[in-house]
Amino acid sequence: MATILNKRQQSVIAGHAIVKIEDILKKCGLENVLVTVNDKDYVALDEVKKAIRELYEGEEK
């Protein structure tokens, strides 16, 4: 059975998931892994957190 989630619900689930992923990355020493987009480097974990925050806050507007 498929459930359609609103952005806030999805962001809460993603927030819980990123906490687990962050823990795994830290255990592996990869919490500061970089991703390059259009010749600019970003800390992958930070960018995912920003995206989740935007998703969560976007529902409030």
Side-chain angles (χ1 to χ4, degrees):
M1 171 190 272
T3 302
I4 298 176
L5 303 175
N6 65 34
K7 289 180 182 180
R8 177 165 282 195
Q9 291 168 322
Q10 186 62 51
S11 68
V12 169
I13 293 167
H16 285 279
I18 198 67
V19 168
K20 292 289 187 183
I21 293 167
E22 184 175 22
D23 185 49
I24 292 166
L25 290 174
K26 283 182 178 179
K27 287 179 181 176
C28 296
L30 298 172
E31 66 269 22
N32 293 317
V33 68
L34 297 177
V35 60
T36 303
V37 178
N38 296 328
D39 297 323
K40 187 171 180 188
D41 291 334
Y42 300 91
V43 177
L45 192 57
D46 292 345
E47 296 305 316
V48 172
K49 287 179 183 179
K50 286 180 198 175
I52 292 169
R53 192 173 304 112
E54 288 288 327
L55 187 63
Y56 183 82
E57 292 172 353
E59 274 295 299
E60 295 175 348
K61 296 175 184 174

